[in-house]
């Protein structure tokens, strides 16, 4: 790798901070650490680091779980950033002996995806809150709530392989990495609490994220966690 050869100080600093100073402070499992790392690399579209992380994650995550971290990120990161990452993921899996395509784990169809997504929204964030959001949508803008229920929650959150806790933690990591999403991050901090991820888990995840997203985004996310 030319970067490693020509910029040895960068890699020494990164490896020191990421391996020595970070891991001594976190208690989340190695599986969860890989989920957090994959989520932030997807969001930053860090293709080379992401490919390495996919390969290494096979130690503790199934191929289906790895693909699901990517699926879960799509609605938040967008197709533009994630499209090529599917090809990278499939390439790494194939090179490591995984037979593709993987079995579909979608649980909805075109007729029930909106209904099932709305059920999950209400489960995570409370029926009254979601109903108020729908009723208070400005005239002519109701479609965005429909998209949120059918696409974001209906098409992705209903899929198998990952738990509610996994999916909300991925969403937290994606929003923290994106930055500028404080309103959404605030809602998903509460969503994490509602599905069983406590404050310590979120702070551990944020500790893992720090080298990847920098101090401003980390401290903004930490401030939101500390509101609760």
């Amino acid at each position: 790798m030319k970067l490693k050869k020509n910029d040895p100080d960068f890699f020494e600093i990164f490896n020191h901070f990421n391996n020595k100073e970070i891991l001594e402070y976190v208690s989340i499992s190695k599986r969860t650490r890989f989920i957090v790392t994959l989520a932030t690399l997807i969001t930053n579209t860090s293709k080379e680091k992401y490919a390495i992380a996919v390969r290494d994650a096979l130690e503790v995550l199934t191929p289906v779980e790895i693909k699901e971290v990517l699926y879960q990120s799509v609605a938040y990161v967008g197709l533009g950033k994630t499209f090529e990452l599917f090809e990278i993921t499939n390439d790494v899996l194939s090179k490591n002996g995984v037979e593709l395509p993987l079995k579909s784990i979608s649980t909805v169809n075109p007729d029930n995806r909106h209904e099932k997504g709305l059920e999950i929204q209400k489960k995570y964030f409370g029926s009254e809150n979601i109903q108020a959001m729908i009723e208070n949508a400005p005239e002519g803008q109701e479609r965005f709530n429909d998209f949120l229920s059918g696409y974001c929650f209906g098409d992705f959150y209903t899929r198998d392989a990952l738990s509610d806790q996994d999916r909300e933690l991925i969403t937290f990591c994606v929003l923290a990495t994106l930055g500028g999403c404080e309103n959404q991050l605030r809602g998903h901090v509460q969503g994490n609490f509602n599905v069983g991820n406590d404050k310590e888990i979120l702070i551990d995840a944020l500790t893992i994220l720090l080298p990847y997203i920098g101090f401003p985004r980390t401290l903004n996310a930490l401030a939101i966690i500390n509101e609760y």
Side-chain angles (χ1 to χ4, degrees):
M1 184 188 299
K2 292 183 179 179
L3 180 59
K4 187 173 183 179
K5 180 180 179 180
N6 294 330
D7 296 276
D9 286 351
F10 171 81
F11 281 88
E12 182 178 352
I13 292 168
F14 179 80
N15 288 329
H16 173 78
F17 189 45
N18 196 37
N19 295 327
K20 295 181 179 179
E21 291 195 49
I22 291 292
L23 295 182
E24 67 177 280
Y25 287 101
V26 301
S27 58
I28 53 177
S29 68
K30 189 172 184 179
R31 175 186 181 275
T32 303
R33 296 203 310 266
F34 267 110
I35 287 175
V36 169
T37 302
L38 288 170
T40 193
L41 292 174
I42 289 166
T43 309
N44 280 330
T45 325
S46 302
K47 297 175 185 177
E48 186 173 326
K49 290 289 290 183
Y50 173 72
I52 294 170
V54 169
R55 180 200 66 195
D56 293 346
L58 285 167
E59 179 185 345
V60 290
L61 292 169
T62 67
V64 172
E65 289 174 324
I66 290 171
K67 287 289 286 286
E68 282 308 302
V69 178
L70 183 52
Y71 271 108
Q72 180 64 24
S73 304
V74 170
Y76 299 96
V77 179
L79 289 172
K81 282 190 173 184
T82 55
F83 190 84
E84 190 175 355
L85 295 179
F86 277 95
E87 186 174 339
I88 291 172
T89 306
N90 290 335
D91 183 59
V92 174
L93 293 179
S94 294
K95 287 179 178 177
N96 284 273
V98 178
E99 185 176 346
L100 299 174
L102 300 175
K103 182 180 178 181
S104 173
I105 57 172
S106 175
T107 64
V108 298
N109 57 56
D111 295 326
N112 67 8
R113 56 191 283 275
H114 184 276
E115 174 190 352
K116 295 297 184 181
L118 186 58
E119 287 178 5
I120 290 181
Q121 280 183 282
K122 292 180 177 180
K123 173 184 175 183
Y124 282 15
F125 306 107
S127 296
E128 291 184 2
N129 291 333
I130 298 302
Q131 192 59 41
M133 182 180 71
I134 293 171
E135 292 176 356
N136 293 326
E139 184 177 355
Q141 299 176 22
E142 297 86 354
R143 74 192 77 169
F144 293 103
N145 284 330
D146 290 339
F147 294 156
L148 194 62
S149 297
Y151 179 63
C152 182
F153 286 90
D155 288 337
F156 296 106
Y157 274 83
T158 60
R159 295 173 63 82
D160 282 337
L162 296 180
S163 67
D164 290 345
Q165 291 91 341
D166 290 334
R167 292 193 181 277
E168 267 301 280
L169 186 61
I170 291 166
T171 300
F172 167 82
C173 293
V174 168
L175 293 173
T177 301
L178 283 171
C181 303
E182 280 70 28
N183 286 338
Q184 291 79 13
L185 187 62
R186 196 168 275 109
H188 282 281
V189 167
Q190 185 62 60
N192 270 275
F193 293 159
N194 290 346
V195 300
N197 290 329
D198 60 20
K199 188 173 182 178
E200 182 178 357
I201 289 173
L202 295 186
I203 292 176
D204 277 3
L206 197 56
T207 305
I208 297 295
L209 291 178
L210 174 54
Y212 297 97
I213 70 176
F215 281 94
R217 292 175 184 178
T218 299
L219 295 177
N220 285 346
L222 184 62
I224 289 174
I225 294 172
N226 285 330
E227 290 176 3
Y228 295 87

